[in-house]
Amino acid sequence: MKNIAVIGAGTMGNGIAHTFAQFGYKTNLIDISEESLKKGMKTISGNLDRMLSKEKISEDDKTNTLNNITTFTQLEEGVKNVDLVVEAATENVDLKLKIFKQLDEFCSSETVLASNTSSISITKIASVVSNPERVIGMHFMNPVPVMKLVEIIRGYNTSDEVTSNIMELSKKFKKEPVEVNDYPGFVANRILMPMINESIETLYNGVAGVQEIDTVMKLGMAHPMGPLQLADFIGLDVCLSILEVMYSGFKNPKYAPCPLLVNMVQAGKLGVKSGEGFYDYSGSRKAEKVSSQFSS
Protein backbone atom coordinates (compact mmCIF):
# COMPACT_ATOMS: atom_id res chain seq x y z
CA MET A 1 0.00 0.00 0.00
CA LYS A 2 1.50 3.30 -1.13
CA ASN A 3 -1.43 5.63 -1.77
CA ILE A 4 -3.80 6.49 1.05
CA ALA A 5 -6.96 8.58 1.27
CA VAL A 6 -8.23 10.00 4.56
CA ILE A 7 -11.80 11.30 4.77
CA GLY A 8 -12.31 14.14 7.24
CA ALA A 9 -9.86 16.93 8.11
CA GLY A 10 -10.87 17.25 11.77
CA THR A 11 -8.79 16.29 14.81
CA MET A 12 -8.58 12.59 13.98
CA GLY A 13 -8.47 12.93 10.19
CA ASN A 14 -5.62 15.42 10.07
CA GLY A 15 -3.72 13.37 12.65
CA ILE A 16 -4.10 10.20 10.57
CA ALA A 17 -3.06 12.04 7.38
CA HIS A 18 -0.06 13.52 9.19
CA THR A 19 1.03 10.05 10.35
CA PHE A 20 0.78 8.40 6.95
CA ALA A 21 2.51 11.31 5.20
CA GLN A 22 5.32 11.44 7.74
CA PHE A 23 6.18 7.84 6.91
CA GLY A 24 6.34 8.48 3.18
CA TYR A 25 2.84 7.55 2.03
CA LYS A 26 1.18 9.70 -0.62
CA THR A 27 -1.89 10.88 1.26
CA ASN A 28 -5.08 12.48 -0.02
CA LEU A 29 -6.90 14.44 2.70
CA ILE A 30 -10.58 14.86 1.82
CA ASP A 31 -13.21 17.13 3.34
CA ILE A 32 -16.27 18.82 1.86
CA SER A 33 -15.14 22.07 3.51
CA GLU A 34 -12.19 23.98 2.06
CA GLU A 35 -11.99 25.86 5.37
CA SER A 36 -11.69 22.58 7.30
CA LEU A 37 -8.91 21.45 4.97
CA LYS A 38 -6.98 24.68 5.51
CA LYS A 39 -7.46 24.38 9.28
CA GLY A 40 -6.37 20.73 9.18
CA MET A 41 -3.22 21.51 7.22
CA LYS A 42 -2.42 24.34 9.62
CA THR A 43 -2.74 21.90 12.52
CA ILE A 44 -0.45 19.40 10.80
CA SER A 45 2.13 22.09 10.14
CA GLY A 46 1.95 23.26 13.77
CA ASN A 47 2.36 19.72 15.08
CA LEU A 48 5.36 19.21 12.79
CA ASP A 49 6.86 22.44 14.12
CA ARG A 50 6.54 21.11 17.68
CA MET A 51 8.26 17.88 16.64
CA LEU A 52 10.97 19.94 14.95
CA SER A 53 11.56 22.04 18.06
CA LYS A 54 11.98 18.84 20.09
CA GLU A 55 14.44 17.54 17.46
CA LYS A 56 12.26 14.51 16.71
CA ILE A 57 12.24 15.36 13.00
CA SER A 58 14.35 17.46 10.65
CA GLU A 59 13.32 20.42 8.49
CA ASP A 60 13.44 18.09 5.48
CA ASP A 61 11.12 15.65 7.27
CA LYS A 62 8.60 18.44 7.79
CA THR A 63 8.81 19.56 4.16
CA ASN A 64 8.47 16.01 2.84
CA THR A 65 5.51 15.29 5.11
CA LEU A 66 3.61 18.34 3.92
CA ASN A 67 4.50 17.60 0.30
CA ASN A 68 3.07 14.10 0.67
CA ILE A 69 -0.40 15.48 1.44
CA THR A 70 -2.82 16.62 -1.27
CA THR A 71 -6.20 18.06 -0.32
CA PHE A 72 -9.53 17.42 -2.04
CA THR A 73 -13.09 18.62 -1.58
CA GLN A 74 -14.54 16.02 -3.97
CA LEU A 75 -14.70 12.47 -2.64
CA GLU A 76 -14.60 10.81 -6.06
CA GLU A 77 -11.39 12.63 -7.01
CA GLY A 78 -9.75 12.04 -3.67
CA VAL A 79 -10.22 8.26 -3.60
CA LYS A 80 -9.21 7.62 -7.21
CA ASN A 81 -6.45 5.01 -7.53
CA VAL A 82 -5.75 4.67 -3.79
CA ASP A 83 -4.91 1.41 -2.03
CA LEU A 84 -6.55 2.27 1.30
CA VAL A 85 -9.25 4.67 2.43
CA VAL A 86 -9.50 5.61 6.10
CA GLU A 87 -12.81 7.27 6.93
CA ALA A 88 -12.55 9.68 9.88
CA ALA A 89 -15.78 11.63 9.54
CA THR A 90 -18.11 12.59 12.39
CA GLU A 91 -19.25 9.71 14.60
CA ASN A 92 -22.66 9.44 12.98
CA VAL A 93 -23.86 6.11 11.63
CA ASP A 94 -26.02 7.55 8.82
CA LEU A 95 -23.15 9.70 7.57
CA LYS A 96 -20.72 6.78 7.63
CA LEU A 97 -23.13 4.50 5.75
CA LYS A 98 -23.60 7.21 3.13
CA ILE A 99 -19.82 7.61 2.72
CA PHE A 100 -19.21 3.87 2.39
CA LYS A 101 -21.95 3.53 -0.22
CA GLN A 102 -20.13 6.20 -2.22
CA LEU A 103 -16.77 4.51 -1.67
CA ASP A 104 -18.22 1.27 -3.00
CA GLU A 105 -19.13 3.16 -6.16
CA PHE A 106 -15.97 5.26 -6.55
CA CYS A 107 -13.20 2.90 -5.48
CA SER A 108 -11.64 -0.13 -7.11
CA SER A 109 -12.94 -3.44 -5.78
CA GLU A 110 -9.39 -4.06 -4.48
CA THR A 111 -9.27 -0.92 -2.35
CA VAL A 112 -9.35 -1.62 1.39
CA LEU A 113 -11.97 0.48 3.16
CA ALA A 114 -11.30 1.30 6.81
CA SER A 115 -13.24 3.30 9.37
CA ASN A 116 -11.76 5.15 12.32
CA THR A 117 -15.08 4.80 14.15
CA SER A 118 -14.72 4.58 17.93
CA SER A 119 -17.89 2.55 18.49
CA ILE A 120 -20.07 1.95 15.41
CA SER A 121 -20.29 -1.61 14.12
CA ILE A 122 -17.84 -2.40 11.31
CA THR A 123 -20.21 -5.18 10.23
CA LYS A 124 -23.01 -2.63 9.85
CA ILE A 125 -20.79 -0.25 7.89
CA ALA A 126 -19.65 -3.12 5.65
CA SER A 127 -23.27 -4.11 4.93
CA VAL A 128 -23.59 -1.29 2.36
CA VAL A 129 -20.47 -2.41 0.44
CA SER A 130 -20.68 -4.99 -2.35
CA ASN A 131 -17.63 -6.94 -1.09
CA PRO A 132 -17.66 -6.49 2.72
CA GLU A 133 -14.58 -8.65 3.24
CA ARG A 134 -12.43 -5.59 2.44
CA VAL A 135 -13.97 -3.41 5.20
CA ILE A 136 -12.12 -3.11 8.51
CA GLY A 137 -11.84 -0.81 11.51
CA MET A 138 -8.71 1.22 12.23
CA HIS A 139 -9.40 3.00 15.50
CA PHE A 140 -6.56 5.45 16.09
CA MET A 141 -6.05 7.21 19.42
CA ASN A 142 -5.82 10.97 19.88
CA PRO A 143 -3.35 12.62 19.31
CA VAL A 144 -2.67 10.27 16.42
CA PRO A 145 0.99 11.20 15.70
CA VAL A 146 1.88 10.49 19.34
CA MET A 147 -0.31 7.59 20.50
CA LYS A 148 0.99 4.12 19.63
CA LEU A 149 -2.20 2.06 19.72
CA VAL A 150 -4.40 1.25 16.74
CA GLU A 151 -7.40 -0.99 17.43
CA ILE A 152 -7.87 -3.19 14.38
CA ILE A 153 -11.52 -4.25 14.30
CA ARG A 154 -12.59 -7.27 12.29
CA GLY A 155 -16.13 -7.08 10.99
CA TYR A 156 -18.12 -10.30 10.62
CA ASN A 157 -16.99 -10.62 7.00
CA THR A 158 -13.53 -9.03 7.13
CA SER A 159 -11.05 -11.35 5.44
CA ASP A 160 -7.91 -12.78 7.02
CA GLU A 161 -5.85 -11.25 4.24
CA VAL A 162 -7.17 -7.73 4.79
CA THR A 163 -6.72 -8.04 8.55
CA SER A 164 -3.14 -9.28 8.17
CA ASN A 165 -2.28 -6.53 5.66
CA ILE A 166 -3.63 -3.77 7.89
CA MET A 167 -1.86 -5.16 10.95
CA GLU A 168 1.44 -5.15 9.03
CA LEU A 169 0.79 -1.70 7.57
CA SER A 170 0.21 -0.27 11.05
CA LYS A 171 3.60 -1.55 12.17
CA LYS A 172 5.26 0.17 9.22
CA PHE A 173 4.26 3.59 10.57
CA LYS A 174 5.43 2.64 14.08
CA LYS A 175 2.05 1.87 15.64
CA GLU A 176 1.12 -1.08 17.84
CA PRO A 177 -1.92 -2.75 16.25
CA VAL A 178 -4.21 -4.86 18.44
CA GLU A 179 -6.84 -7.05 16.78
CA VAL A 180 -10.30 -7.04 18.39
CA ASN A 181 -13.73 -8.32 17.40
CA ASP A 182 -16.69 -6.22 16.37
CA TYR A 183 -18.84 -5.47 19.41
CA PRO A 184 -20.11 -2.06 20.58
CA GLY A 185 -17.26 0.08 21.91
CA PHE A 186 -14.68 -2.56 20.88
CA VAL A 187 -12.14 -2.76 23.76
CA ALA A 188 -10.87 0.77 24.36
CA ASN A 189 -14.21 2.53 24.69
CA ARG A 190 -16.06 -0.40 26.23
CA ILE A 191 -13.74 0.02 29.22
CA LEU A 192 -13.00 3.76 29.04
CA MET A 193 -16.49 5.21 28.53
CA PRO A 194 -18.15 3.55 31.55
CA MET A 195 -15.28 4.94 33.67
CA ILE A 196 -15.81 8.44 32.27
CA ASN A 197 -19.58 8.11 32.68
CA GLU A 198 -19.18 6.94 36.29
CA SER A 199 -16.86 9.91 36.95
CA ILE A 200 -19.59 12.23 35.68
CA GLU A 201 -22.14 10.40 37.86
CA THR A 202 -19.82 10.89 40.84
CA LEU A 203 -19.76 14.64 40.15
CA TYR A 204 -23.52 14.69 39.47
CA ASN A 205 -24.21 13.01 42.83
CA GLY A 206 -22.06 15.51 44.71
CA VAL A 207 -19.51 13.00 45.96
CA ALA A 208 -16.60 15.26 45.00
CA GLY A 209 -15.69 18.17 42.74
CA VAL A 210 -14.13 18.17 39.29
CA GLN A 211 -10.51 18.60 40.35
CA GLU A 212 -10.92 16.23 43.28
CA ILE A 213 -12.21 13.42 41.05
CA ASP A 214 -9.45 13.95 38.52
CA THR A 215 -6.77 14.18 41.23
CA VAL A 216 -7.86 10.88 42.81
CA MET A 217 -7.56 9.10 39.47
CA LYS A 218 -4.25 10.73 38.55
CA LEU A 219 -2.49 10.24 41.88
CA GLY A 220 -4.25 7.08 43.04
CA MET A 221 -4.49 5.17 39.76
CA ALA A 222 -1.49 6.68 37.92
CA HIS A 223 -3.65 7.99 35.07
CA PRO A 224 -1.80 10.72 33.14
CA MET A 225 -5.05 12.67 32.79
CA GLY A 226 -8.15 12.69 34.99
CA PRO A 227 -11.34 11.21 33.48
CA LEU A 228 -13.23 14.52 33.40
CA GLN A 229 -10.33 16.31 31.71
CA LEU A 230 -10.05 13.38 29.31
CA ALA A 231 -13.76 13.63 28.52
CA ASP A 232 -13.26 17.32 27.71
CA PHE A 233 -10.30 16.42 25.50
CA ILE A 234 -12.23 13.72 23.62
CA GLY A 235 -15.33 15.92 23.31
CA LEU A 236 -18.42 15.42 25.46
CA ASP A 237 -20.53 15.00 22.34
CA VAL A 238 -18.29 12.15 21.22
CA CYS A 239 -18.48 10.53 24.67
CA LEU A 240 -22.27 10.77 24.59
CA SER A 241 -22.44 9.31 21.09
CA ILE A 242 -20.28 6.33 22.05
CA LEU A 243 -22.28 5.64 25.21
CA GLU A 244 -25.52 5.79 23.22
CA VAL A 245 -24.16 3.26 20.70
CA MET A 246 -23.12 0.95 23.54
CA TYR A 247 -26.42 1.36 25.40
CA SER A 248 -28.34 0.64 22.21
CA GLY A 249 -26.12 -2.33 21.35
CA PHE A 250 -26.08 -4.05 24.74
CA LYS A 251 -29.41 -2.83 26.22
CA ASN A 252 -27.59 -2.71 29.55
CA PRO A 253 -28.34 0.20 31.92
CA LYS A 254 -24.70 0.44 32.99
CA TYR A 255 -24.00 2.13 29.64
CA ALA A 256 -26.82 4.69 29.98
CA PRO A 257 -25.34 8.21 29.73
CA CYS A 258 -25.44 10.31 32.89
CA PRO A 259 -28.11 13.06 32.70
CA LEU A 260 -25.44 15.66 33.43
CA LEU A 261 -23.50 14.60 30.33
CA VAL A 262 -26.67 14.78 28.22
CA ASN A 263 -27.49 18.27 29.51
CA MET A 264 -23.98 19.57 28.95
CA VAL A 265 -23.98 18.39 25.34
CA GLN A 266 -27.40 19.93 24.75
CA ALA A 267 -26.09 23.20 26.20
CA GLY A 268 -23.10 23.16 23.85
CA LYS A 269 -20.54 22.61 26.62
CA LEU A 270 -18.47 20.08 24.69
CA GLY A 271 -15.05 20.48 26.30
CA VAL A 272 -11.88 21.81 24.66
CA LYS A 273 -13.49 22.18 21.23
CA SER A 274 -16.17 24.58 22.51
CA GLY A 275 -13.96 26.32 25.09
CA GLU A 276 -15.78 24.91 28.10
CA GLY A 277 -16.77 21.57 29.57
CA PHE A 278 -15.83 20.43 33.05
CA TYR A 279 -13.01 22.94 32.77
CA ASP A 280 -12.85 26.45 31.32
CA TYR A 281 -10.45 26.62 28.36
CA SER A 282 -10.89 30.31 27.53
CA GLY A 283 -7.42 31.11 28.91
CA SER A 284 -5.61 27.81 28.53
CA ARG A 285 -6.02 24.32 27.06
CA LYS A 286 -4.39 22.80 30.16
CA ALA A 287 -7.50 22.34 32.32
CA GLU A 288 -6.22 24.77 34.95
CA LYS A 289 -9.58 26.37 35.73
CA VAL A 290 -12.77 24.50 36.65
CA SER A 291 -15.88 25.64 34.77
CA SER A 292 -17.93 28.17 36.75
CA GLN A 293 -20.83 25.70 36.72
CA PHE A 294 -18.84 23.39 38.99
CA SER A 295 -16.69 25.81 41.00
CA SER A 296 -17.80 26.66 44.52
Side-chain angles (χ1 to χ4, degrees), residues 108-128:
S108 157
S109 61
E110 301 301 314
T111 303
V112 175
L113 307 179
S115 177
N116 180 58
T117 179
S118 51
S119 61
I120 296 168
S121 168
I122 297 301
T123 303
K124 183 169 186 175
I125 290 172
S127 69
V128 301

Side-chain angles (χ1 to χ4, degrees), residues 16 18 35 82 95-96 125 161-162 235 296:
I16 295 167
H18 170 165
E35 183 179 347
V82 299
L95 175 61
K96 291 185 187 296
I125 290 172
E161 181 183 8
V162 166
S296 55

Side-chain angles (χ1 to χ4, degrees), residues 53-205:
S53 68
K54 295 176 182 178
E55 299 184 345
K56 292 184 176 181
I57 62 171
S58 66
E59 190 68 52
D60 283 346
D61 291 331
K62 176 187 173 181
T63 300
N64 291 336
T65 298
L66 292 174
N67 287 341
N68 281 334
I69 302 174
T70 307
T71 60
F72 294 84
T73 55
Q74 298 298 317
L75 181 63
E76 185 171 6
E77 291 180 30
V79 300
K80 192 178 296 181
N81 300 321
V82 299
D83 305 305
L84 168 68
V85 178
V86 182
E87 170 272 316
T90 304
E91 193 73 351
N92 176 290
V93 65
D94 292 331
L95 175 61
K96 291 185 187 296
L97 293 177
K98 178 182 177 182
I99 289 171
F100 273 79
K101 284 179 182 177
Q102 292 175 312
L103 292 177
D104 192 42
E105 178 185 350
F106 298 150
C107 294
S108 157
S109 61
E110 301 301 314
T111 303
V112 175
L113 307 179
S115 177
N116 180 58
T117 179
S118 51
S119 61
I120 296 168
S121 168
I122 297 301
T123 303
K124 183 169 186 175
I125 290 172
S127 69
V128 301
V129 175
S130 55
N131 45 342
E133 66 275 3
R134 63 175 169 153
V135 179
I136 196 165
M138 292 184 77
H139 180 207
F140 292 83
M141 304 295 124
N142 186 25
V144 180
V146 176
M147 300 294 279
K148 292 294 185 183
L149 175 66
V150 184
E151 269 190 308
I152 306 299
I153 303 103
R154 287 188 70 138
Y156 190 83
N157 293 301
T158 307
S159 72
D160 291 341
E161 181 183 8
V162 166
T163 303
S164 176
N165 287 344
I166 294 301
M167 293 284 284
E168 288 304 311
L169 175 69
S170 300
K171 293 173 185 176
K172 288 178 180 177
F173 51 84
K174 303 295 176 66
K175 298 299 184 190
E176 295 287 342
V178 177
E179 181 183 337
V180 305
N181 290 319
D182 186 21
Y183 291 95
F186 316 131
V187 171
N189 283 317
R190 184 168 180 171
I191 295 169
L192 175 63
M193 286 302 154
M195 184 192 74
I196 286 177
N197 198 43
E198 193 61 31
S199 302
I200 299 171
E201 285 278 3
T202 302
L203 176 65
Y204 182 55
N205 292 329

